[in-house]
Amino acid sequence: MSEGYLTPPEEGDDKLNIQWYPGHMVKAKRLVQEHLKLVDVVIELVDARLPISSRNPDIDGIVGAKPRLVVLNKSDLADPQGCRQWVRVFKEQGLEAVAVNSINGQGLAQVSSLVRRLAQERMAALQAKGMRPRAVRAMIVGIPNVGKSSFINKLVKKGTAKTGDKPGVTRGKQWVKVGKDFELLDTPGILWPKFEDPEVGFKLAITGAISDTVMDIEGLSLRLLQKLSELAPRQLQERYKLSEPMGDPERLLNTIGSKRGCLMPGGAVDRLKAARIVLDEFRSGKLGLYTLDNPNL
Ligand SMILES: Nc1nc2c(ncn2[C@@H]2O[C@H](COP(=O)(O)OP(=O)(O)OP(=O)(O)O)[C@@H](O)[C@H]2O)c(=O)[nH]1
Ligand SMILES: [Mg+2]
């Protein structure tokens, strides 16, 4: 995740005090708008666990009428039924959508075929004007840490494996080949999520979209424990072999810390270490698979 676009939390501030640098955001948005002119299709990556909170709210205006594919990445970490519902919701809104896993490549074959299909009309129009057939060009946009680089790497490897001859990267150009008739802009566009809603900030923080260095890790994990003890008490109990009833997140964090041997010299629980464990295990799906944005709203 790129550094330097967050302000650090204020001393003693227990809220998620996250502020993007506005100048940085405007510049990145302008860059995306410039690159848009070069492509036939936009691939918008969102986090499958939060398909709305992980979007830039201006995305419709930025992309305009250009054909767009919404890719729900990290679908391996989301509730499978939630993924299916969200794909349906996007389709109902007139957007093509597909759930993928950029680590094992699941869903990526569909991405290639959908991109080609979305570009068909434009390619036909270009040829009708007498232009020679060329590869379909697409660019990736998405918020920090949503998996843009992983997605590109996996898609490109798949493509080159299929054609099996030349290396995938065309030097001197900013395009990466995905098979012979599909090219990706090699630098993804970064767009920012919206932070004004504290609930959105919380969801982005617990899924890892915000750099941990700017956050109160202990406070965040306490909120997460509170949420999980309401949402999925059994998962918590099983994972951490808890016998006591759920409830007070402060006590829960201490118990988890001592069960996992997070002790400081002198024997007190190292709560920061315990907090990191809870967050890491939630982010890697060990505490269950969740879709945190409700598709039915
Ligand atoms: N489980 C899972 N993890 C993923 C997936 N895609 C990416 N990741 C992980 O998410 C993290 C961020 O991935 P990147 O590809 O670096 O994300 P990015 O959007 O390029 O991030 P920036 O360049 O910082 O904006 C990495 O730890 C990846 O391994 C996925 O489909 N499933
Ligand atoms: Mg990247």
Side-chain angles (χ1 to χ4, degrees):
M1 178 155 170
S2 20
E3 293 294 333
Y5 46 77
L6 296 168
T7 57
E10 305 260 316
E11 192 94 42
D13 189 344
D14 63 353
K15 291 195 299 293
L16 281 173
N17 183 36
I18 303 148
Q19 290 282 317
W20 303 108
Y21 287 131
H24 200 113
M25 294 168 73
V26 170
K27 199 170 146 201
K29 188 168 154 182
R30 204 180 306 132
L31 209 68
V32 168
Q33 281 164 329
E34 275 167 27
H35 285 160
L36 264 178
K37 295 177 200 140
L38 305 173
V39 302
D40 308 302
V41 176
V42 173
I43 301 173
E44 182 195 0
L45 244 65
V46 300
D47 188 318
R49 293 166 294 180
L50 29 145
I52 293 297
S53 302
S54 63
R55 294 183 102 184
N56 177 293
D58 301 330
I59 185 78
D60 291 345
I62 294 170
V63 174
K66 195 138 282 188
R68 186 179 1 153
L69 172 65
V70 177
V71 169
L72 291 88
N73 192 39
K74 309 196 185 184
S75 60
D76 53 309
L77 300 177
D79 172 41
Q81 200 194 335
C83 278
R84 285 191 294 274
Q85 286 180 309
W86 270 112
V87 166
R88 200 163 59 228
V89 169
F90 283 117
K91 287 186 175 177
E92 280 164 9
Q93 291 173 4
L95 289 167
E96 262 314 331
V98 61
V100 310
N101 172 343
S102 292
I103 303 299
N104 73 6
Q106 216 173 341
L108 291 185
Q110 243 184 306
V111 168
S112 292
S113 62
L114 283 169
V115 165
R116 287 181 175 92
R117 205 171 80 203
L118 282 166
Q120 236 165 29
E121 211 177 304
R122 189 171 149 99
M123 302 316 274
L126 290 177
Q127 283 180 42
K129 281 196 220 161
M131 293 195 187
R132 276 194 310 156
R134 61 157 173 80
V136 170
R137 289 176 175 170
M139 75 178 289
I140 316 289
V141 300
I143 68 166
N145 217 37
V146 72
K148 298 178 294 299
S149 301
S150 310
F151 176 82
I152 292 177
N153 289 340
K154 201 73 190 175
L155 195 64
V156 168
K157 263 187 226 129
K158 267 188 113 66
T160 46
K162 230 183 282 162
T163 53
D165 46 5
K166 283 169 277 176
V169 182
T170 316
R171 284 192 190 281
K173 283 189 190 165
Q174 283 181 302
W175 302 97
V176 193
K177 272 190 181 298
V178 185
K180 66 176 183 337
D181 58 350
F182 176 12
E183 294 176 355
L184 269 186
L185 198 59
D186 70 352
T187 39
I190 298 179
L191 290 171
W192 271 264
K194 193 174 176 176
F195 272 102
E196 275 107 80
D197 179 350
E199 191 58 25
V200 171
F202 172 64
K203 289 177 189 176
L204 289 166
I206 57 175
T207 52
I210 300 166
S211 170
D212 281 344
T213 55
V214 299
M215 281 186 302
D216 164 17
I217 295 300
E218 198 180 315
L220 185 64
S221 83
L222 288 173
R223 279 185 66 185
L224 176 60
L225 284 172
Q226 175 72 47
K227 191 170 175 99
L228 287 175
S229 48
E230 291 157 13
L231 216 66
R234 288 272 297 279
Q235 295 259 23
L236 268 184
Q237 265 168 331
E238 275 165 31
R239 179 81 199 164
Y240 299 116
K241 314 232 176 337
L242 307 167
S243 50
E244 65 194 291
M246 295 295 141
D248 179 23
E250 297 269 354
R251 255 186 55 205
L252 206 52
L253 188 62
N254 276 335
T255 310
I256 292 169
S258 57
K259 291 217 177 219
R260 290 296 176 90
C262 309
L263 300 177
M264 297 196 286
V269 169
D270 185 339
R271 289 166 60 88
L272 185 59
K273 201 166 169 189
R276 288 221 167 88
I277 288 178
V278 171
L279 277 175
D280 282 350
E281 297 195 345
F282 177 76
R283 288 172 183 167
S284 58
K286 294 190 179 99
L287 293 172
L289 305 177
Y290 301 96
T291 299
L292 301 167
D293 285 343
N294 186 346
N296 301 311
L297 291 181

